[in-house]
């Protein structure tokens, strides 16, 4: 490949420094630098000039005073801040070159610095010019190369000029052109080139046999060591790379090369300018030095090669040839043969990329940005521009490959909108796949990708997408939805099963494939919580297709749910209510609506749950289950009353299959474990005319009076008799209702016998007065009771009344005689004196003496024996206090008029209440108030 075959750019700015120090006006300058922030110039007079960043010059005489002595080579070893100079007599060919080491720090501080002269011996008796020199960073080894083909190695403490040893490494018939040391932590390697060979030596120890890398060499100054410790050799046809193991890659660049240097990752080449370039030079490129104008015929082409990006970053002509190149302070300085100094600064990356953009060299721009450590977002921007340019050229496939590189940095919608055309769905599919691989896809992207698969009917790629994904960088719900819409049910089922999307799996099985059996089998593998949730959603559809299997599953779920809630409730009560319930189990009330179109299977479901859970349970239930139980009993009763029969065998009764729904309803109402809503059950029985059920409800509730009213309403004498026989002893008031009923219906069979029993019970418990009994029996026009029916009762009442009258008369006579005696006694006390004949004290039984106290009750006491008793006789005080309390109670009762009227209202014999009240003399406590 020739130089004009490489793409050429101007990535560097060239500026000529006009105001230069006087040192640059010296002829035949020699330039050297190797880092350390300094540039060294050697002139023909033997002086070395040291320049810093500000171009401040410090000069010193480096050559001896002998005529013809000058500096022919310089090497700056920046690690030890040492300058190595080679001094030769250019006028005498037999002179021996002198090698000196200068301390740069001393040179900058002092004016009189003595160098360290490296002592060595000529390898031959015939002196040859020193054509190459190299030193290790520590200057523990120095290699010298002579024009006679000898390579001399000097080892030891060279800076101190002590313990140095010299030996000849190798002798070749060709002159030595370049020497380079490469050091690492264990080895020291010396690369050497001649005009015909490229060799390498291991100088770590004394045994260093040469290894010929290639039977080709290079000119003086046409090799260097790069940043990877590789030898770079510039030959006319190409640039080659070598390591200690052999030749590496090469870079074709056909031009006669005279100088090779490096700057960052660039190679700086000075090549002989072809004569054809001279006419193309602009007049501005002519250089005027010492008032002389140099033509372009003796010019040298200066080229900056970017080997990483395979391009020419800059090319230009230096008039008078290139005398030296220095790469300091982040720039390139080229010393021309006529004392000119050109300054080359690299354009920033944005400027270089802009140049490439204008030429549509986007691949090169990408590579340059990556090599320039550009951030990924900016590199993606270049890919985007490249893709846009290709898209504008209708190269859609290549454009898509560029857009794929922008994933994560460019909004996917920007690319997607360009490829929504049906003819470019293949490209869009590839992009979306990469988007998913990068984990940048959203649910919309997944939807679009799967839609692409379905539009293309590419089932193979669809299966590959969903079956071979390891991390599944897509929204699974969206993928299932798209596959379902497109009819790819197997793929949707696979995803739903793999990612435990149970709800979607069941939807596919039930709604799309109508495989109810498989859905039920799948649900049986789930936990109770999950089954509860999904049966609430799909239960009705399952019941319509497989009622038996679905009902059995619902029964199991409901029973387990109740057991689980009971356990949790027990744990909660034992831990003071801090145990949470882990989920929403399917309750009885949430299940019943599923059987809206299947009442017979609802009856079967309720029968099974009741039989297995509540049939023999007497323990307390939690609140929710208690509500479920009531709902179940009432619903089952309603189904029975509507004539619904269960298709399943009732496990609680062996004769269930022979019972009618009405008989089952009656058994249900009479079940002592049936905890149902009484009001709702009553309404159901009443609305369906189920009298036996109403009676069972009254009996279960213990409402005997209402039950008797029910029997009376329906003229059920056998039921009435059973009721009176069972509850008449505890509630005799029932006979009063029965008496009124029998009085109105004498035509009923067994009326007379039942009437006789009622009268006997009323008489026994004195429930009604004879007058009210007679009024009840004959006080109505509808009564059909004859005297013969009640003759015995009337005779007993007459005899009993006669006996009471006689007893009352005797009591009256007794009370009258007692009253007369008490009245006579009171009159005597009021009108006649009382004679006290007692001679002893009633208290101490000692003879009475004065002072003494006598009471009207004929008790006498010593005054000293009475103490503080007061006006009452101590012996009669208790009886008197009792009488006083009775009087006070009578006085209080006389004022409680509300209690009197309430008692009078509820009494069977009001006259007896009034007589009893008058007996307590209520008016004796009345006080008259003057108006």
């Amino acid at each position: 490949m020739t130089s004009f075959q490489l793409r050429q750019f101007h990535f560097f700015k060239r500026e000529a420094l006009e105001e230069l120090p006087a040192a640059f006006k010296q002829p035949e300058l020699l330039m050297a630098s190797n880092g350390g922030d300094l540039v060294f110039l050697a002139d023909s007079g033997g002086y070395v000039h040291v320049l810093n960043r500000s171009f401040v010059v410090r000069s010193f005489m480096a050559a001896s005073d002998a005529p013809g002595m000058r500096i022919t080579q310089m090497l700056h070893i920046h690690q030890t801040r040492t300058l190595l100079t080679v001094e030769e007599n250019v006028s005498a060919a037999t002179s021996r070159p002198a090698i000196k080491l200068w301390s740069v720090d001393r040179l900058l501080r002092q004016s009189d610095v003595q160098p360290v002269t490296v002592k060595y011996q000529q390898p031959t008796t015939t002196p040859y010019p020193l054509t190459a020199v190299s030193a290790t960073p520590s200057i523990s080894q120095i290699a010298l190369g002579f024009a006679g083909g000898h390579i001399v190695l000097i080892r030891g403490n060279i800076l101190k000029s002590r313990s140095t040893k010299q030996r000849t490494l190798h002798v070749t018939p060709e002159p030595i052109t370049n020497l380079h040391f490469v050091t690492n932590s264990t080895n020291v390697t010396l690369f050497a080139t001649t005009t015909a060979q490229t060799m390498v030596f291991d100088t770590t120890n004394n045994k260093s046999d040469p290894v010929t890398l290639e039977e080709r060499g290079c000119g003086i100054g046409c090799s260097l060591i790069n940043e990877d410790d590789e030898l770079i050799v510039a030959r006319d046809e190409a640039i080659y790379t070598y390591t200690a193991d052999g030749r590496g890659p090469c870079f074709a660049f056909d031009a006669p090369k005279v100088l090779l240097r490096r700057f960052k990752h660039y190679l700086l080449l000075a090549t002989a300018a072809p004569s054809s370039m001279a006419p193309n030079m602009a007049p501005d490129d002519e250089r005027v030095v010492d008032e002389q104008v140099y033509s372009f015929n003796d010019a040298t082409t200066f080229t900056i090669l970017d080997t990483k990006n395979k391009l020419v970053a800059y090319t230009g002509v230096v008039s008078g040839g290139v005398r030296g190149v220095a790469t300091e302070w982040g720039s390139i300085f080229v010393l021309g043969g006529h004392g000119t100094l050109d300054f080359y600064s690299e354009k920033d990356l944005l400027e270089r990329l802009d140049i490439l953009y204008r030429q549509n060299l986007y691949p090169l721009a990408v590579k340059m940005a990556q090599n320039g450590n550009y951030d990924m977002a900016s590199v993606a921007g270049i890919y985007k521009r490249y893709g846009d340019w290709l898209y504008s050229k209708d190269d859609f496939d290549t454009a898509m490959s560029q857009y794929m590189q922008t994933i994560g940095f460019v909004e996917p919608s920007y690319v997607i909108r360009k490829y929504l055309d049906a003819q470019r769905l293949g490209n869009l599919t590839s992009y979306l796949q990469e988007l998913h691989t990068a984990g940048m896809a959203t649910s919309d992207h997944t939807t679009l990708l799967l839609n692409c698969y379905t539009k293309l009917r590419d089932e193979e790629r669809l299966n590959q997408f969903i079956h071979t994904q390891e991390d599944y960088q897509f929204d699974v719900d969206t993928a299932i939805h798209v596959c379902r819409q497109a009819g790819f049910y197997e793929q949707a089922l696979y995803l739903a099963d793999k990612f435990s999307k149970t709800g979607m799996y069941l939807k596919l099985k039930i709604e799309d494939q109508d495989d109810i059996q498989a859905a039920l089998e799948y649900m049986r593998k789930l936990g109770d919580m999950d089954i509860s949730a999904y049966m609430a959603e799909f239960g009705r559809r399952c019941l319509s297709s497989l009622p038996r299997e679905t009902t059995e599953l619902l029964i199991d779920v409901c029973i387990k749910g109740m057991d689980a809630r009971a356990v949790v409730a027990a744990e909660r009560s034992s831990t003071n209510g801090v145990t949470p319930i882990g989920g929403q189990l399917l309750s009885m009330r949430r299940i019943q609506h599923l059987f809206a179109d299947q009442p017979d299977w609802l009856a079967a479901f309720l029968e099974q749950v009741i039989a297995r859970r509540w049939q023999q349970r007497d323990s307390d239930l939690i609140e929710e289950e208690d509500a479920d139980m009531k709902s179940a009993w009432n619903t089952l009763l309603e189904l029975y009353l509507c004539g619904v029969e269960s298709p399943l065998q009732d496990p609680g009764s062996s004769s269930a299959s022979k019972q009618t729904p009405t008989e089952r309803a009656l058994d249900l109402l009479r079940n002592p474990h049936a905890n149902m809503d009484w009001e709702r059950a009553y309404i159901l029985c009443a609305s369906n005319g189920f009298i036996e059920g109403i009676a069972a409800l009254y009996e279960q509730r213990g409402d005997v009076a209402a039950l008797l009213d029910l029997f009376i309403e329906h003229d059920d004498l056998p039921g009435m008799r059973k009721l009176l026989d069972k509850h008449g002893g505890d509630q005799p008031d029932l006979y009063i209702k029965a008496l009124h009923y029998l009085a109105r219906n004498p035509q009923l069979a067994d009326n007379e016998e039942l009437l006789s029993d009622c009268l006997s019970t009323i008489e026994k418990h004195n429930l009604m007065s004879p007058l009210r009994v007679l009024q009840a029996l004959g006080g109505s026009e509808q009564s059909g009771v004859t005297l013969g029916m009640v003759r015995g009762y009337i005779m007993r009442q007459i005899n009993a009344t006669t006996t009471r009258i006689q007893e009352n008369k005797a009591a009256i006579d007794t009370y009258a005689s007692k009253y007369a005696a008490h009245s006579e006694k009171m009159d005597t006390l009021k009108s006649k004196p009382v004679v006290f004949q007692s001679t002893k004290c009633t208290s101490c039984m000692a003879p009475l003496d004065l002072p003494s106290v006598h009471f009207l009750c004929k008790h006498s006491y010593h005054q000293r024996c009475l103490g503080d008793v007061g006006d009452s006789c101590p012996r009669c005080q208790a009886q008197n206090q009792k009488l006083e309390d009775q009087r006070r109670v009578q006085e209080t009762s006389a004022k409680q008029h509300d209690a009197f009227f309430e008692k009078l209202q509820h009494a069977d014999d009001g006259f007896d209440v009034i007589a009893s009240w008058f007996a307590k003399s209520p008016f004796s406590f009345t006080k008259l108030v003057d108006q």
Side-chain angles (χ1 to χ4, degrees), residues 619-666:
S619 59
D620 294 336
L621 302 175
I622 62 175
E623 181 179 356
E624 184 177 359
E625 185 174 354
D626 185 66
D628 284 346
M629 182 173 63
K630 287 183 179 180
S631 175
W633 287 107
N634 287 107
T635 304
L636 186 59
L637 174 63
E638 182 177 2
L639 292 172
Y640 285 158
L641 293 178
C642 293
V644 176
E645 295 187 8
S646 168
L648 295 180
Q649 178 70 24
D650 185 0
S653 176
S654 59
S655 60
S657 59
K658 301 178 182 179
Q659 288 183 306
T660 63
T662 303
E663 294 172 339
R664 290 193 177 194
L666 189 58

Side-chain angles (χ1 to χ4, degrees), residues 11 37 124 243 330 430 452 483 504 534 563 568 625 685 804 898:
F11 288 157
D37 206 31
T124 60
T243 64
S430 301
C452 289
C483 291
M504 187 58 68
Y534 298 126
D563 293 338
V568 171
E625 185 174 354
C685 293
R804 283 198 304 275
D898 294 338

Side-chain angles (χ1 to χ4, degrees), residues 21-303:
F24 285 91
K25 297 181 180 181
Q26 301 295 326
E28 300 182 5
L29 290 174
L30 179 65
M31 192 175 193
S33 69
N34 189 22
D37 206 31
L38 296 172
V39 174
F40 300 90
L41 293 174
D43 59 20
S44 59
Y47 280 91
V48 173
H49 310 279
V50 185
L51 286 77
N52 60 12
R53 183 187 290 268
S54 301
F55 276 70
V56 176
V57 180
R58 186 176 182 83
S59 305
F60 67 94
M61 175 58 74
S64 61
D65 297 336
M69 299 300 292
R70 60 182 294 182
I71 303 301
T72 58
Q73 294 188 58
M74 285 191 302
L75 177 63
H76 181 212
I77 308 164
H78 69 90
Q79 291 88 345
T80 56
R81 301 281 288 178
T82 303
L83 178 65
L84 185 150
T85 61
V86 178
E87 177 186 348
E88 294 184 83
N89 191 336
V90 295
S91 61
T94 59
S95 64
R96 177 176 175 269
I99 302 174
K100 297 178 181 180
L101 300 175
W102 305 82
S103 174
V104 176
D105 294 331
R106 291 182 181 180
L107 290 173
L108 297 176
R109 294 195 306 267
Q110 305 173 15
S111 59
D112 186 13
V113 178
Q114 297 297 322
V116 175
T117 303
V118 180
K119 299 178 180 179
Y120 72 98
Q121 295 180 356
Q122 285 280 4
T124 60
T125 56
T126 303
Y128 288 100
L130 184 62
T131 55
V133 63
S134 182
T136 59
S138 62
I139 317 182
S140 59
Q141 297 183 29
I142 295 179
L144 305 176
F146 295 90
H150 295 79
I151 299 175
V152 175
L153 179 65
I154 303 172
R155 306 166 64 97
N157 193 349
I158 301 174
L159 287 173
K160 301 295 183 181
S161 297
R162 292 180 296 183
S163 303
T164 59
K165 295 181 181 180
Q166 172 184 334
R167 71 187 182 93
T168 301
L169 283 180
H170 188 63
V171 179
T172 64
E174 301 86 11
I176 305 299
T177 55
N178 298 282
L179 294 173
H180 303 283
F181 274 109
V182 174
T183 62
N184 53 40
S185 58
T186 57
N187 295 323
V188 179
T189 303
L190 176 64
F191 288 97
T193 63
T194 69
T195 56
Q197 282 186 322
T198 301
M199 299 171 290
V200 64
F201 301 85
D202 185 358
T203 63
T204 307
N205 49 47
N206 293 326
K207 296 180 180 180
S208 54
D209 296 331
V211 177
T212 302
L213 299 176
E214 190 169 2
E215 293 293 340
R216 300 176 65 190
C218 66
I220 296 174
C222 291
S223 67
L224 56 82
I225 300 297
N226 65 8
E227 65 273 11
D228 298 324
D229 291 338
E230 297 173 333
L231 176 66
I232 306 298
V233 176
R235 301 191 182 102
D236 291 348
E237 74 282 357
I239 299 172
Y240 298 88
T241 304
Y242 296 91
T243 64
D245 298 326
R247 197 177 85 173
C250 66
F251 183 79
F253 187 76
D254 189 7
K257 302 170 182 65
V258 295
L259 183 66
L260 175 65
R261 294 290 184 269
R262 73 181 180 91
F263 172 69
K264 298 180 180 178
H265 65 281
Y266 296 103
L267 292 181
L268 312 178
L269 289 173
T271 60
S275 58
S276 59
M277 293 183 65
N280 296 327
M281 297 298 296
D284 293 338
D285 285 329
E286 294 180 341
R287 295 291 183 266
V288 180
V289 180
D290 295 339
E291 298 182 355
Q292 294 183 7
V293 179
Y294 295 86
S295 67
F296 302 119
N297 294 328
D298 53 2
T300 301
T301 301
F302 179 68
T303 304

